[in-house]
Every structure is written in structure tokens, then in C-alpha cells.
Amino acid sequence: MSLLKHTPQFTEQDAVSIAKDLYGLQATAKPLPSERDQNFRVSAGAAGHFVLKIANALEDRTMLDCQNQAMRHLTRHVAFCPKVISSKSGDLISGIQSSTDESHMVRLVTYLPGIPMGSVKRHSAGLLEDLGRCVGEMDRAMADFDHPGAHRDFYWDLAKGLEIVKEYQALISDASLRKLIEKFTLDYEQYVTPLLPDLRKSVIHNDANDYNVIVGRNDDLYTRNQRVVGIIDFGDMVYSHTVGNLAVAVAYAILDKSDPLRTAAHMLKGYHRGYPLAQDEIASLYLMVCMRLCMSACIAAHQLKQRPDNAYLAISQLPIQRTLPALAEIHPRFAEAAFRQACDLTPLPHSQAICDGLKRNRDAMAPVLDIDLRTAPLKIFDLSVASSLVHGNPEKNTEAYITKRLWAEMQAANAKAGIGRYNEARMLYTSPLFVTGNVSTAEHRAVHIGIDLFAETGAAVHAPIAGKVFAFSNNDAPQDYGPVVILEHTTDKGEPFYTLFGHLSPDSLEGLYAGKPIACGERFGRIGAADVNGGWTPHLHFQIITDLLDMSCDFPGVVRSGERSLWTLFSPDPNLVIGIPQDRFPATDPSVSDTLAARRKYIGRNLSIGYRNPIKMVRGWRQYLFDDTGRRYLDAYNNIPHVGHCHPRVVEAAGRQMSVLSTNTRYLHDLINRYAERLCATMPESLSVCFFVNSASEGNELALRLARAYTGQRDMIVLEAAYHGNTTSLIDISPYKHEGPGGKGPPAWVHTAPIPDLYRGLYRSDDLKAARKYAGHVDDIIRELKGKGIGLAGFIAETCPSVAGQIFLPQDYLPEVYRHVRKAGGLCIADEVQTGYGRIGTHFYAFEAENLVPDIVVLGKPIGNGHPISAVVTTPEIAETFDNGMEFFSSFGGNTVSCAVGLTVLEVVLEENLQANALKAGKRMLAGMKPFIERYPIVGDVRGSGLFLGVELVRSRETLEPAKEEAEFIVNRMRDAGILLGTDGPFENVIKIRPPMPFDESNAELLVANMEQILEEDFWV
Ligand SMILES: Cc1ncc(COP(=O)(O)O)c(C=O)c1O
């Protein structure tokens, strides 16, 4: 307290004079933040940048000398420590007098360029690991350093944590915080106090908080500000437990992190590499971290009592108050296992011992059911995310549905029991019990760590191993265990472990008491019915537990995939007890990396794979996709599943027709006629003849042939950056391809007009004549052709060019172009592959927005919702000239299954009002994102309509330099947040938002909020 009264009060001018007088520097000075001392950044041209440190008048010289010696020692070993500069007279500490005649000691150290980690919003795994590494290297270097100044009684010494907390905790007014601190104190006394005498001690920095850690810029976005270049401020140095240094750094780094344990584990990994930790240090670390935060809360309460008007003190405590409850949820032994894993040590040594014990004694174990599962016919179910036994629609996975499916499978296999696999990620856990975090795309608990034994309700449950009742309960919340019993056992070598039996009948709990002996093979329960067992198909959930982590009947049976490798040690494979021969289990699916390797080996490399960290997607439902771990992604990118992934009506229509007849157009069938009639009804009257093919590439090829047949000409006009498909002639009419990497330019019959891009094109939004000027270029091409005596087959364009960067053409442009083209005898082809079927919200087809009637409309991808169909719709006259004697046939185009699908998709789009939904959700996104243009210089433009939007990123508002890498970075960061997007445009700097049409307003809000959060990160500054 009194210290603050003696804070130095020098001016910038004073600092300049001191720098000159003491250090001979011609410099400018700028104040840097400090509470009890005064620091100036001193810039001395070619001589460099320094920090002039003027100490508090009460500062102890020994302590300052200790800091100086420590820095000098460290700079011999590491690059991230400031160097101490001696004065002209060779002193590391000099004395000065203040105007109030107080004496202050002055030092000069080098300035480390960078920004504090505390002002960097993204703390990547790489940054955290690097910080850990630096702290480790610092501790290694300091192992042989000592100084009398560090041997002091200091209230920020973690070794005094218990003392400080006990002294001040009563001052904390918030009862729940006090309670948490009490819990951590008890845990600390239980787990850490006994280890303290054997922990290494050394002089430690003791304050690597995120404002004392300096990070450096570099050019790579992913690592920008993600490398530590400095650890500064040695004012809290103390001789203490070495691991305390890491604990302090971790304590600040985990504040407000969504996964504090993973954050800490990254740091440990780095530290351990720089300076290997001893096992007891690893065991102590977690509660030391918690203790540091408790100390901070207590010291702040004490300071607040003395300075009640200091609002900052209370505010600075908020992150601690938010984080401590999350930390209290993590058991210290779980944290220890996670930390051991981060250090490549066996995470849970006793788990292996228990598994070995179980293997040794397998022959002495009794069957859990009255069926011998080792030999009886079984049905081993696939209940994974990708399983067809599970429906994408959670409503179709309720107990009655699942029971029906599972029993049918068991009966078909003549099985005596069904088996639900261990360590399987599932999407069956939908109740709030399994939700972690508060974001719908956050990773939920999905990995099953027991084994399920499906048998009749009432089937007897036996203890496979002798033991005693440890706990029992009726967990009657939906999707919980229902009646559950935990038995306690010991291996033949005396190691305790537990077995958990869930979904029993309520009467199984009668007569039980904690400690009741249960003999090997004794029937102690029965399988419960669905209405009493938590709402599940009757089965026994059987799980082994090697450490209950002070839990009881609430021990999880389903865990987050990110913690799977740890939880499977706390609950190893129950088949160690059940004993089903391993070869009866189907092979597990390849891992993501195996799938990637096989893809690289067998599939052409220029089929690109999205994201730096590719996703193995195994299921879709409506506007969501699910990866193999059950993680749900909000799909804001894929326009092919137009009416939603796996729409049940479409799936049903395809399945039904596939089971009845799948044949080609050579026979009469009503479906093709009905589909064509329905489709034509959505078009202008003159467009009344359909052709069906299998891809939009095939559709555009056909459109080219139609135009050429009708006009007798060959030449086409296309727009810059257009893409119309992957065949040879479509690459010819797609500047995006033939002008792009590997492209060889256009052939002589293709003429490219400038893209009417009002943001970065030839004429921009401030040019009122832009539409006419852009159309004039098309006219110029036509005139030039005419001059050479060349006729025109047609003009093809997407009505809103997507690959060109989600462009909305200026009003009146297309009508004007159509006039020019028709005057020259050409046909106008509208590629509505991306924009058709209500996507732009205001109209069913984008050409309607301009009151246009194209001569040929090509529809693709979305009209089949994933089934490969394309439709070409034209006038009877054009179709007639194409019918020139040469048969047109596509083996699969217009086949009965495709028509059933196409018709159903069209019905769904209309009946579910998806166009209106697109308009609403799009408006919400535009309203949320348009303000980004004002707020973030990198966001140059936000445009679009309905669910066809683009966010264009630029490095400069003046030059419009495309921010391609930044766009890709945001897309990758959004993927981390569980939202799928893509980039497009000739410079790949436009973030493309083009979700399945059921994407709703809440999805829109989630997307906007996440994008804003990422834009707030300083990667682009
Ligand atoms: C506008 C446009 N036209 C045509 C195509 C070609 O479609 P497909 O891949 O079905 O052949 C695409 C595909 O991305 C497209 O975006």
C-alpha cells in the first residue's frame, strides 16, 4: 500500500535527460504501464530501443541487483530475456533524486519488440507450447543461479499460497467463490502439501502473466503473434518451487479458455521439452495453478478492502471468477493424467496394472448375463455416427424406433444378445446431460466408454467378479443410467477398481447397501424396461472404472471425443471382463490420417481437400454435417443438399423408386413427364421443353449444342472468371479455369467480356452508367465478330456469378446484353446452377429479378439434393432444331430414380417455403455483417441476397489488394468453431456463404457472431 505513495513521478523530459546523462543516449521517451515503478520506452535511433526503469523509492537494492544478475545470467542462455545495459560509469544501478527529494534507483534494459500476449486474442496451441518451452528453458538456465535478494518473504510466492489464502479468504464477499477457494485449499493440502518437500527449488521469475509475455509478429497468418519473443518484468522473482514458475504462467493463460485443461497441457508439453518435469511436479502443477488464482482472488479482496474505490481491482478479478468454477469441475487426478500424457508419460499407470490383473484372472470371471457371450450367437451393432441403424433426425432415434431396429437386426441374425461397442462415437446422446459449453456447434459428449449388452427386459445381471456394493442410485433423468449400481473390487494384487451396471430395473436396487458383499456370479440385478431405465432400449451398460475420481453413480459413460484417450484409461475396454473373442468384432473404421493417406494414394491429387485439418465427414442432416467423432458442423457452404442433407422425403423417394424400377428414357414412364411438367411450371411460359442429364457440366454441354444447332454458329461470349463445368468445351468457356493455374487460355471461338463487378471491376458502384458500359463491352465483341464475318451462337452467364466471387450484376446489365446478343442472332443461356430454386430469396430463379426470359436455362446440383441430376429447359423451337436426326441419349439422364428425386426436391422446396426462409436468414446475416465494413478495414464488401452471400476481404481499401490468405484463415478458424464456409472469386478472397436452404435465423446469428469473434482476432492487423 504505502509502496504506491512512493511511485516515481518523472516526466518524459526527465526520462530523456536521464537517458542522456546516465547512458549517453540521444533518445525520445514514452511512458510504459507500471503500478509501483515507472518505466519509459526509450528510442535512441540506431542505438536501439530500451526500457528505462525507475524503481519505487522503497525498492530494495538487493532485489534490483538480483533482477539484474538474473537477466545477465539468462541472456547467456536464452534469446527472450532483456539485456541489462550499464551506465556510462559502468553501473547496472544508478541513483537519481526526484523533485520531492526522494531517491530512486534507475536501470536500463533492452526493449523487446512485440506485443503482450494479453492483447492477442487467439492463443493457438503453438503459442501455448512455445510459452511453455520458454518458461522451461528459463528454469533450466536458472537452475544454477542464486542470489540473496530472491530469498525473501514475498506474498506472491506460491509456496506461501495456503498461508495467504487462509489469511484473506474471509474477506471475499461472494459465498460461492469462497466455497470454491475452500475446495481448492483442501485439495491442495491433500495432493500438493505432501509432495512439496521433494520438489525442486530454484530462483524463479514468478510472473509470466500474459502481459509480461511478449509475442512477435511474422508474415505467416497462422503463426502471427503466436511465438514468444520475450519474457519481461523480473520484479516478482523469488526462490521457490521451480514448477511454481510454470504454474503462474499456466494460471494466467487458462483464464477464460473454453478448455483450460487442454490449454495447460499444451504449455506443459512445451515446458517438458525445454526442461523435463519430475513426476511429482506434474502431480502438483494443477492445484498450484488453482492456488495461484485463489491467491490472486484473496490478495485482491485484501487490497479492495484497503482501497474500496479501486474499481479496476474488482474488474481484473472477473476472469478468475469465471474460470475457477470450470477448474473445480476437473478432478486433480484427471488433470494429472492429462498432464502426464502431455509429457509423454504413461498417463494413468495403475490403469495398466488393473487391466493386467483382469487379463490374468479372466478364467475366474462369471458371465454377466445368463448367456455366455463368449460363445453365443451375437449381433454386434454399429451405433457409430455413420451407422444406418441411427437416423440423422434425432426424433427418429427415440427408444421405440431404435428398439424396433435393433431387435429386427438381432432376430435376423438369430442372436441371443446384441452388443453396443466400447469407445464408439455416437450421435444418440441428445439430452442436455451431454451438452458441454453453450454453443450448438461445440463438441458434446458422444464417445461411449462402456459396452452395451442388449437382452430381454428382466434378464438377470450377475457380478462377473466378486466385490461389494460401492454405490447405487436411480438416475432417472432422460438418457441417464436409470437404476445403476457400482461394485468395488480388487485385483489379485490388491489394486482397487470398480464395475458399473446401468439401466437396471428399479427393484435391482432393493436390499442393496454400501459395502454389501456380492459373490462372483451372484445375480444382483435385472435389465430394466425402457420406461424405468432412463428411456433406452432394454440393455445393460457395463463399464470398468479404474479410478472413480471421487464421483459415484454420476461417473460418465459417455465422454468428449477430445478427451477420449484419457477417459479410455479411466474406463478400459469392458470386454476384458465380458470376453467376446476380438475377431467377432468388425474392424474399426480407418482413422482420419489413414483415410487421408488412402485418399492420397488412390485418388487424383487435384481433387482438393478442404481445410488445413481435413474433416472426415460421415453424416449429414438438414443444415448440419457430422464428423466421425460426432462433432456437429453448421454447414454454411454446401448448396448441393439444397433442401437439407438427407432430406427424408428425398431419401424415401430415391429408395422407393430404386426398389421398383431404375431404367432409362427409352421406355415410357410417367415420372419423367410429371417432373418435366412441374419444372416447366416454375419457368416462363416459353420455356417448356426439358432435357435431363446427370451433371451441370453435361447440362451446359447440351446447352452449347442446342445454341449451335439453333444458330448454326459456334462462337460464344462468356464473362470473366466464369465457371460452367469440367468437360473440355466447358473449360474452354470457363475463364476461371482456362485463365487459372494449368489453363491454356481460351480457344478462338470464346470471347470474354469483363465481369460486371461493381466492387472491384472496370466500373464501380459510384458509376451510374456502369451497367450500360459493361454491356457495351459485349456489344463491342459482337461488332468485332461481325466485322470479321463471324456469327454468334450465344452468350452464357450465371445470373449471379458465384465462382467470380458471389457477384450481383448491376441492374439492367443482363437485359441490355440479352438485347445485343439476340440482335446478333445469338441465344442467351442462363446458368442457374447455383442460383436457382429460391436461393436468392427474392425470386425462384435469379433471372426473374431482371424480368428476363432466357432461351435456355441450365439447372444442376441443388435440383437433385445430392443425387446427380441436371435439367436443361428451353423453347420448343430450339429443341426442334436440335432434333436434326442425330439421336440424343444419356444413359442415366432422366432415369426413373432421378426423376423421382427431382420431382420430390421441387415439391419440398415449394412446400417448405424454403425461398422465404432463405430471404429471412439472408437478411439476418446481411444485417449482422454489413456493419463489419465500418468496423474492420479488412472487410471490403458484404453482398448478396437470400442464402447467396459473399464477404470480400481486402488488405487495402484504396488498392483493393485481395486478402486471400486472410479469407482462407477465417474459413479455417470458422471450421474450428464448427461452421463450414468456403472462399471464391478470381483472387479467392471472397468468403462464400451458400448453405443448405433450411439454414435458419438462429444459424445466421451464430455464423455472424463467430465471424465477428474471429475478425476481432488480430491476425490481419
Ligand atoms: C455455375 C456452375 N455451372 C456449372 C457447374 C458444373 O456442375 P457439375 O459439377 O455438376 O458438372 C458448376 C459447378 O460448380 C457451377 O457452379
Side-chain angles (χ1 to χ4, degrees):
M1 263 311 291
S2 55
L3 213 61
L4 295 183
K5 290 197 190 127
H6 300 273
T7 301
Q9 308 280 347
F10 291 88
T11 63
E12 284 177 23
Q13 196 43 50
D14 295 335
V16 169
S17 310
I18 297 166
K20 181 154 184 279
D21 298 347
L22 289 179
Y23 301 97
L25 293 173
Q26 286 291 351
T28 57
K30 269 207 160 137
L32 292 170
S34 173
E35 196 180 25
R36 63 182 186 211
D37 305 318
Q38 220 185 353
N39 292 333
F40 290 93
R41 180 181 164 179
V42 167
S43 301
H49 301 279
F50 304 88
V51 179
L52 183 73
K53 299 175 77 67
I54 308 175
N56 189 288
L58 298 188
E59 189 57 85
D60 171 24
R61 187 180 182 98
T62 318
M63 187 52 213
L64 288 190
D65 186 58
C66 172
Q67 292 181 35
N68 282 348
Q69 297 309 329
M71 285 188 269
R72 292 193 109 189
H73 180 82
L74 271 172
T75 45
R76 285 197 282 276
H77 300 275
V78 299
F80 54 78
C81 173
K83 286 194 180 68
V84 193
I85 310 292
S86 40
S87 68
K88 286 194 288 186
S89 49
D91 299 321
L92 294 181
I93 301 174
S94 310
I96 53 168
Q97 292 297 115
S98 75
S99 53
T100 54
D101 231 19
E102 281 203 294
S103 303
H104 295 275
M105 288 173 281
V106 183
R107 294 172 298 148
L108 190 74
V109 298
T110 50
Y111 175 83
L112 298 172
I115 53 172
M117 179 171 157
S119 8
V120 175
K121 297 230 171 74
R122 183 171 76 100
H123 293 174
S124 66
L127 172 59
L128 296 163
E129 226 178 276
D130 203 42
L131 174 56
R133 178 188 60 81
C134 290
V135 177
E137 284 180 6
M138 178 185 246
D139 286 345
R140 189 178 57 192
M142 293 288 277
D144 60 353
F145 174 84
D146 207 356
H147 192 286
H151 295 261
R152 56 174 174 154
D153 186 16
F154 184 41
Y155 64 105
W156 279 118
D157 180 359
L158 246 174
K160 283 176 57 101
L162 269 183
E163 209 180 297
I164 296 280
V165 166
K166 284 184 175 164
E167 189 176 343
Y168 296 139
Q169 66 183 0
L171 300 175
I172 291 181
S173 50
D174 176 344
S176 59
L177 180 60
R178 250 192 349 258
K179 235 176 146 180
L180 280 176
I181 292 176
E182 271 160 32
K183 174 203 146 42
F184 285 121
T185 309
L186 288 175
D187 282 353
Y188 190 90
E189 283 173 325
Q190 182 186 346
Y191 290 100
V192 182
T193 304
L195 303 178
L196 288 175
D198 292 328
L199 298 189
R200 289 181 291 187
K201 292 188 101 174
S202 57
V203 177
I204 59 171
H205 174 279
N206 196 35
D207 197 15
N209 77 60
D210 44 2
Y211 282 90
N212 285 340
V213 173
I214 307 297
V215 298
R217 261 187 88 86
N218 66 23
D219 288 340
D220 175 40
L221 284 180
Y222 294 83
T223 55
R224 179 170 296 173
N225 295 332
Q226 302 295 314
R227 289 282 172 271
V228 175
V229 295
I231 297 182
I232 57 170
D233 192 350
F234 286 66
D236 280 1
M237 281 174 60
V238 65
Y239 179 81
S240 189
H241 301 111
T242 308
V243 69
N245 204 25
L246 176 60
V248 173
V250 170
Y252 290 98
I254 61 174
L255 292 178
D256 282 334
K257 292 289 194 305
S258 60
D259 192 343
L261 201 55
R262 192 178 300 188
T263 305
H266 290 311
M267 294 178 67
L268 240 91
K269 191 172 170 186
Y271 185 100
H272 193 65
R273 247 183 235 158
Y275 192 40
L277 287 153
Q279 304 209 18
D280 283 352
E281 289 174 326
I282 297 174
S284 312
L285 182 76
Y286 184 66
L287 285 165
M288 281 192 167
V289 168
C290 300
M291 177 55 75
R292 171 69 181 211
L293 296 176
C294 294
M295 281 171 78
S296 177
C298 289
I299 291 170
H302 170 65
Q303 290 173 338
L304 203 59
K305 193 172 166 223
Q306 319 224 332
R307 293 144 56 193
D309 50 329
N310 188 337
Y312 174 75
L313 262 178
I315 292 168
S316 66
Q317 283 300 305
L318 292 177
I320 293 179
Q321 286 162 19
R322 286 191 293 260
T323 305
L324 279 177
L327 298 181
E329 298 284 304
I330 300 167
H331 194 282
R333 289 199 299 272
F334 189 81
E336 182 185 353
F339 290 173
R340 288 178 63 94
Q341 189 176 52
C343 296
D344 283 334
L345 298 172
T346 308
L348 203 62
H350 77 279
S351 175
Q352 192 52 51
I354 291 164
C355 293
D356 292 344
L358 290 171
K359 280 182 204 151
R360 274 195 307 274
N361 292 287
R362 186 175 264 175
D363 291 344
M365 293 176 196
V368 179
L369 301 181
D370 281 330
I371 308 159
D372 186 350
L373 298 170
R374 297 161 205 231
T375 53
L378 300 175
K379 175 70 199 170
I380 298 188
F381 293 120
D382 174 4
L383 295 172
S384 71
V385 183
S387 170
S388 56
L389 279 174
V390 179
H391 204 283
N393 180 358
E395 286 164 20
K396 291 282 167 68
N397 290 331
T398 51
E399 181 274 320
Y401 285 108
I402 289 269
T403 301
K404 207 167 147 201
R405 280 177 236 147
L406 297 188
W407 282 98
E409 293 251 326
M410 275 165 60
Q411 273 165 6
N414 248 330
K416 291 250 182 286
I419 306 295
R421 292 181 294 183
Y422 165 73
N423 196 11
E424 182 174 65
R426 301 173 174 176
M427 47 191 296
L428 295 171
Y429 307 107
T430 49
S431 91
L433 283 178
F434 301 94
V435 173
T436 51
N438 52 7
V439 181
S440 72
T441 51
E443 184 187 66
H444 291 177
R445 294 197 286 136
V447 179
H448 183 244
I449 53 168
I451 194 167
D452 294 320
L453 308 177
F454 291 87
E456 297 283 357
T457 300
V461 173
H462 305 266
I465 306 163
K468 56 188 182 196
V469 174
F470 177 79
F472 56 93
S473 155
N474 190 350
N475 295 5
D476 56 4
Q479 296 200 340
D480 206 328
Y481 287 131
V484 51
V485 175
I486 296 179
L487 301 183
E488 183 179 2
H489 316 271
T490 45
T491 64
D492 52 357
K493 294 202 173 153
E495 294 112 343
F497 69 99
Y498 306 84
T499 49
L500 181 149
F501 303 79
H503 314 306
L504 300 172
S505 62
D507 63 359
S508 306
L509 307 184
E510 284 167 19
L512 295 186
Y513 57 88
K516 181 181 183 189
I518 305 279
C520 174
E522 182 178 335
R523 185 197 72 74
F524 69 95
R526 293 189 179 282
I527 287 183
D531 57 347
V532 292
N533 76 0
W536 296 101
T537 300
H539 74 285
L540 173 70
H541 171 100
F542 174 67
Q543 185 172 338
I544 302 172
I545 300 169
T546 59
D547 180 347
L548 266 169
L549 295 171
D550 296 326
M551 284 185 262
S552 176
C553 292
D554 53 348
F555 194 89
V558 176
V559 299
R560 277 170 46 200
S561 155
E563 291 181 338
R564 179 181 201 156
S565 59
L566 281 174
W567 281 111
T568 47
L569 298 171
F570 284 89
S571 278
D573 189 348
N575 202 34
L576 285 169
V577 171
I578 305 290
I580 302 168
Q582 214 52 48
D583 59 8
R584 296 182 67 185
F585 286 89
T588 46
D589 287 336
S591 65
V592 175
S593 53
D594 288 347
T595 301
L596 183 62
R599 162 87 175 239
R600 295 230 155 102
K601 183 167 173 201
Y602 294 113
I603 309 294
R605 290 284 182 108
N606 49 355
L607 284 176
S608 67
I609 301 172
Y611 302 113
R612 287 190 145 210
N613 262 335
I615 312 175
K616 183 167 174 177
M617 223 50 106
V618 297
R619 178 177 284 276
W621 177 247
R622 289 177 66 81
Q623 62 274 44
Y624 300 101
L625 284 166
F626 299 82
D627 71 10
D628 58 329
T629 69
R631 170 109 199 248
R632 186 167 92 158
Y633 294 86
L634 174 63
D635 185 357
Y637 179 60
N638 289 294
N639 58 347
I640 297 176
H642 192 72
V643 296
H645 291 277
C646 304
H647 194 290
R649 278 180 63 186
V650 180
V651 172
E652 194 276 332
R656 180 170 23 89
Q657 189 54 44
M658 192 81 179
S659 69
V660 175
L661 177 69
S662 172
T663 189
N664 60 46
T665 48
R666 290 226 164 87
Y667 308 100
L668 289 182
H669 199 280
D670 290 323
L671 268 175
I672 188 168
N673 299 344
R674 283 219 321 265
Y675 180 32
E677 189 184 351
R678 240 4 247 280
L679 191 56
C680 290
T682 65
M683 296 269 169
E685 218 178 320
S686 59
L687 297 171
S688 58
V689 181
C690 298
F691 293 88
F692 295 112
V693 282
N694 301 115
S695 68
S697 295
E698 240 188 296
N700 279 330
E701 275 285 350
L702 179 58
L704 267 187
R705 288 182 63 194
L706 286 168
R708 286 171 171 167
Y710 184 79
T711 60
Q713 303 296 333
R714 177 178 159 82
D715 285 44
M716 293 292 300
I717 299 179
V718 301
L719 290 183
E720 246 173 8
Y723 176 68
H724 296 293
N726 61 34
T727 62
T728 306
S729 7
L730 297 185
I731 297 295
D732 284 345
I733 62 163
S734 298
Y736 166 72
K737 289 286 177 195
H738 65 234
E739 299 292 356
K744 299 215 170 359
W749 56 270
V750 173
H751 313 282
T752 308
I755 176 86
D757 176 350
L758 291 178
Y759 180 68
R760 65 161 64 244
L762 282 181
Y763 318 110
R764 303 196 177 162
S765 48
D766 55 353
D767 186 343
L768 294 177
K769 298 203 172 114
R772 175 151 298 181
K773 287 183 182 169
Y774 278 120
H777 285 271
V778 174
D779 196 29
D780 291 345
I781 294 173
I782 292 172
R783 282 172 200 281
E784 209 182 308
L785 286 177
K786 213 169 170 187
K788 292 183 190 157
I790 301 172
L792 185 65
F795 167 83
I796 182 167
E798 278 188 274
T799 322
C800 306
S802 174
V803 173
Q806 304 292 92
I807 307 277
F808 272 73
L809 300 175
Q811 213 186 351
D812 295 334
Y813 168 77
L814 277 180
E816 182 95 1
V817 168
Y818 275 29
R819 271 195 293 280
H820 292 313
V821 170
R822 283 177 174 151
K823 215 167 114 200
L827 294 188
C828 298
I829 305 170
D831 181 336
E832 285 270 347
V833 170
Q834 301 235 17
T835 44
Y837 273 34
R839 174 155 296 280
I840 66 164
T842 52
H843 298 82
F844 198 71
Y845 295 109
F847 61 73
E848 292 171 330
E850 289 271 20
N851 282 321
L852 285 172
V853 180
D855 301 304
I856 303 171
V857 176
V858 180
L859 302 174
K861 341 193 197 211
I863 67 167
N865 212 52
H867 183 86
I869 331 180
S870 164
V872 180
V873 189
T874 188
T875 64
E877 297 75 33
I878 295 170
E880 210 172 296
T881 51
F882 183 56
D883 183 15
N884 59 2
M886 183 191 286
E887 187 204 9
F888 176 71
F889 179 66
S890 161
S891 297
F892 305 113
N895 74 73
T896 48
V897 175
S898 295
C899 290
V901 168
L903 188 58
T904 309
V905 172
L906 185 51
E907 283 168 3
V908 173
V909 176
L910 298 171
E911 288 167 26
E912 293 188 2
N913 291 323
L914 293 178
Q915 180 182 323
N917 180 65
L919 190 62
K920 259 196 300 188
K923 274 191 177 154
R924 187 66 73 100
M925 278 191 280
L926 283 172
M929 295 190 304
K930 282 264 186 201
F932 291 172
I933 300 175
E934 295 298 315
R935 254 181 270 152
Y936 307 106
I938 194 170
V939 179
D941 194 23
V942 173
R943 55 181 174 251
S945 174
L947 290 176
F948 187 83
L949 306 176
V951 179
E952 176 145 6
L953 302 186
V954 290
R955 293 199 179 128
S956 148
R957 288 284 175 90
E958 282 71 47
T959 63
L960 304 187
E961 183 191 347
K964 171 183 168 183
E965 286 76 19
E966 290 83 346
E968 186 201 296
F969 178 83
I970 293 178
V971 167
N972 275 284
R973 293 284 298 129
M974 289 290 273
R975 170 241 194 269
D976 295 342
I979 299 175
L980 306 177
L981 293 167
T983 57
D984 229 325
F987 310 105
E988 289 173 54
N989 65 325
V990 180
I991 296 178
K992 185 154 77 173
I993 304 174
R994 220 187 31 182
M997 298 280 276
F999 189 95
D1000 60 27
E1001 288 180 282
S1002 70
N1003 298 144
E1005 272 169 27
L1006 186 73
L1007 184 148
V1008 172
N1010 274 277
M1011 193 173 298
E1012 178 154 24
Q1013 212 168 3
I1014 292 165
L1015 285 166
E1016 283 288 328
E1017 293 176 0
D1018 46 7
F1019 66 94
W1020 51 271
V1021 180

